[in-house]
């Protein structure tokens, strides 16, 4: 059995005689066929390309946002790097063009005297050449109390020249502490016309032990480390006694002795027990006994400050009840 052949011409010719609803139905069928063919063969590839382009556009927009953030970060880092370069250049211009080691040694000796320290073992080491500057190191050792050593290091940071401290070693040496460290000062390798400018003065840290305790001493033996009050200079021509060559921290009060109306303090050091009265001198800092009580001794010591004036500082030696 064979199917009848579809005669399009006859169908289209007869369609003209169809009623209106049939014509509308036929037109909708033809339009749907055209839309289906067009969507399948023409619009689908274009729609796929559009989706791909939209995905690429979203990725590019995200990358653009990230790159904009990176650009801001790089710009900020570039400004920071430029500021650091300018700061380093300014520091290099402040370095002296010639060595001033004798002046530095004088400053160290002055700071040590101002804080009641004994400096020993000063060794000037070989210079170390760097690309933009020359290091001038020296090794130092100092004896003293904890607060005095801390004030000494703080004073090094306030000198007119740049001084840095390295390899700090602090250890106990009897009643005193020994501080060993490496100090470095610097000079510039720039031409003499570009080096040696004045150091910019900025606020610096100043160690103040007025309300701090010595962590290496029990609370009962803490010394008064107030800044001190101005006083007259001591008599430097006076002949010093034997007890003035021994640091005060090496003495301990072991008792008192009364003879009539006069009271003596008994102080013990490594060499034995010594008897002192009011007005006697003790220690290397022109210390003078001001008062003797049953439980403690009052001492006044004289120190030169950083400007060369003299300050008086009170000190108390507490009776060692276990002696």
């Amino acid at each position: 059995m064979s199917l009848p052949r579809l005669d399009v011409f006859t169908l289209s010719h007869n369609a003209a005689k169809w009623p209106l609803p049939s014509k509308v139905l036929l037109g909708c069928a033809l339009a749907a066929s055209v839309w289906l063919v067009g969507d399948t063969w023409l619009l689908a590839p274009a729609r796929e390309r559009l989706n791909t382009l939209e995905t690429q556009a979203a990725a590019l927009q995200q990358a653009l946002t990230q790159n904009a953030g990176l650009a801001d970060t790089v710009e900020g880092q570039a400004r920071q790097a430029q500021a650091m370069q300018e700061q380093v250049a300014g520091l290099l211009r402040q370095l002296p063009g010639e060595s001033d080691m004798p002046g530095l040694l004088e400053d160290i000796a002055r700071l040590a005297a101002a804080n009641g320290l004994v400096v020993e073992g000063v060794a000037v080491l070989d210079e170390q050449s760097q690309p933009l500057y020359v290091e001038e190191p020296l090794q130092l050792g100092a004896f003293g109390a904890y607060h005095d050593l801390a004030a000494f290091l703080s004073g090094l940071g306030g000198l007119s020249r740049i001084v840095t401290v390295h390899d700090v070693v602090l250890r106990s040496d009897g009643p005193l502490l020994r501080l060993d460290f490496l100090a470095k000062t610097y000079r510039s390798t720039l031409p003499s016309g570009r080096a040696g400018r004045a150091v910019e003065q900025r606020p610096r840290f100043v160690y103040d032990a007025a309300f701090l305790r010595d962590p290496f001493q029990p609370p009962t033996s803490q010394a008064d480390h107030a800044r001190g009050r101005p006083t007259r200079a001591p008599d430097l021509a006076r002949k010093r006694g034997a007890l003035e060559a021994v640091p005060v921290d090496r003495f301990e009060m072991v008792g008192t002795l009364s003879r009539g109306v006069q009271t003596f303090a008994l102080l013990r050091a490594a060499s034995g027990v010594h008897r002192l009265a009011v007005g006697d001198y003790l220690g290397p800092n022109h210390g003078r006994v001001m008062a003797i009580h049953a439980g403690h001794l009052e001492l006044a010591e004289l120190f030169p400050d950083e400007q060369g004036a003299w300050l008086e500082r009170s000190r108390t030696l507490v009776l060692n009840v276990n002696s």
Side-chain angles (χ1 to χ4, degrees), residues 103-250:
L104 176 60
L105 294 176
E106 292 179 1
D107 289 340
I108 291 176
R110 175 173 52 82
L111 283 175
N115 292 281
L117 303 181
V118 178
V119 178
E120 66 175 19
V122 179
V124 179
L125 306 180
D126 294 336
E127 297 179 349
Q128 302 292 328
S129 297
Q130 304 296 336
L132 299 176
Y133 57 88
V134 176
E135 295 180 354
E136 298 180 330
L138 64 156
Q139 187 73 38
L140 295 102
F143 288 94
Y146 174 80
H147 293 304
D148 296 330
L149 292 170
F152 172 69
L153 293 179
S154 174
L156 287 178
L159 295 178
S160 59
R161 59 180 56 83
I162 298 176
V163 179
T164 58
V165 177
H166 311 262
D167 303 334
V168 177
V169 177
L170 185 65
R171 62 178 181 271
S172 177
D173 188 356
L176 298 179
L177 297 175
R178 178 180 175 88
L179 174 70
D180 293 292
F181 64 96
L182 179 68
K184 294 182 181 180
T185 187
Y186 307 87
R187 74 169 188 269
S188 177
T189 57
L190 297 175
S192 58
R194 298 175 57 190
R197 298 185 182 182
V199 176
E200 180 182 355
Q201 296 296 327
R202 297 182 178 180
R204 65 180 182 91
F205 171 77
V206 178
Y207 184 82
D208 184 6
F211 302 101
L212 302 177
R213 64 174 296 268
D214 185 346
F216 292 87
Q217 297 291 338
T220 57
S221 61
Q222 296 294 312
D224 181 9
H225 282 84
R227 174 61 180 169
R229 54 186 178 276
T231 187
R232 296 175 56 184
D235 182 9
L236 300 180
R238 177 182 60 85
K239 185 177 180 180
R240 309 293 290 270
L243 297 183
E244 294 183 80
V246 182
V248 175
D249 297 282
R250 295 191 181 274

Side-chain angles (χ1 to χ4, degrees), residues 2-321:
S2 60
L3 295 175
R5 187 179 61 178
L6 180 62
D7 190 348
V8 177
F9 175 77
T10 304
L11 180 63
S12 61
H13 178 74
N14 294 333
K17 301 177 181 180
W18 291 0
L20 181 60
S22 299
K23 293 180 179 180
V24 173
L25 182 62
L26 178 61
C28 291
L30 292 176
S33 300
V34 172
W35 177 84
L36 181 61
V37 172
D39 182 72
T40 303
W41 298 99
L42 298 177
L43 296 181
R47 186 181 299 108
E48 184 178 353
R49 288 196 300 270
L50 178 61
N51 293 334
T52 302
L53 292 176
E54 289 178 349
T55 303
Q56 293 177 353
L60 291 175
Q61 182 65 33
Q62 183 179 3
L64 179 62
T65 303
Q66 294 177 351
N67 291 334
L70 290 176
D72 294 339
T73 303
V74 170
E75 183 178 356
Q77 292 178 348
R79 288 195 299 267
Q80 292 179 358
Q82 182 177 2
M84 293 178 62
Q85 290 177 354
E86 293 176 354
Q87 185 178 8
V88 171
L91 292 175
L92 290 175
R93 288 193 296 269
Q94 292 176 7
L95 296 179
E98 298 179 355
S99 176
D100 189 24
M101 184 59 67
L104 176 60
L105 294 176
E106 292 179 1
D107 289 340
I108 291 176
R110 175 173 52 82
L111 283 175
N115 292 281
L117 303 181
V118 178
V119 178
E120 66 175 19
V122 179
V124 179
L125 306 180
D126 294 336
E127 297 179 349
Q128 302 292 328
S129 297
Q130 304 296 336
L132 299 176
Y133 57 88
V134 176
E135 295 180 354
E136 298 180 330
L138 64 156
Q139 187 73 38
L140 295 102
F143 288 94
Y146 174 80
H147 293 304
D148 296 330
L149 292 170
F152 172 69
L153 293 179
S154 174
L156 287 178
L159 295 178
S160 59
R161 59 180 56 83
I162 298 176
V163 179
T164 58
V165 177
H166 311 262
D167 303 334
V168 177
V169 177
L170 185 65
R171 62 178 181 271
S172 177
D173 188 356
L176 298 179
L177 297 175
R178 178 180 175 88
L179 174 70
D180 293 292
F181 64 96
L182 179 68
K184 294 182 181 180
T185 187
Y186 307 87
R187 74 169 188 269
S188 177
T189 57
L190 297 175
S192 58
R194 298 175 57 190
R197 298 185 182 182
V199 176
E200 180 182 355
Q201 296 296 327
R202 297 182 178 180
R204 65 180 182 91
F205 171 77
V206 178
Y207 184 82
D208 184 6
F211 302 101
L212 302 177
R213 64 174 296 268
D214 185 346
F216 292 87
Q217 297 291 338
T220 57
S221 61
Q222 296 294 312
D224 181 9
H225 282 84
R227 174 61 180 169
R229 54 186 178 276
T231 187
R232 296 175 56 184
D235 182 9
L236 300 180
R238 177 182 60 85
K239 185 177 180 180
R240 309 293 290 270
L243 297 183
E244 294 183 80
V246 182
V248 175
D249 297 282
R250 295 191 181 274
F251 292 92
E252 61 177 352
M253 183 178 178
V254 295
T256 58
L257 176 65
S258 296
R259 179 177 296 177
V261 296
Q262 190 174 15
T263 301
F264 298 91
L266 301 179
L267 303 182
R268 183 170 61 193
S271 58
V273 177
H274 307 274
R275 185 182 67 180
L276 283 84
V278 173
D280 288 343
Y281 289 91
L282 180 69
N285 299 316
H286 308 281
R288 191 173 184 182
V289 179
M290 305 304 294
I292 299 175
H293 304 277
H296 67 278
L297 175 147
E298 296 180 9
L299 191 71
E301 295 181 301
L302 304 182
F303 296 88
D305 64 8
E306 297 181 2
Q307 286 72 39
W310 288 85
L311 301 174
E312 181 181 291
R313 181 192 299 171
S314 298
R315 187 165 191 168
T316 302
L317 294 182
V318 181
L319 176 67
N320 184 357
V321 296

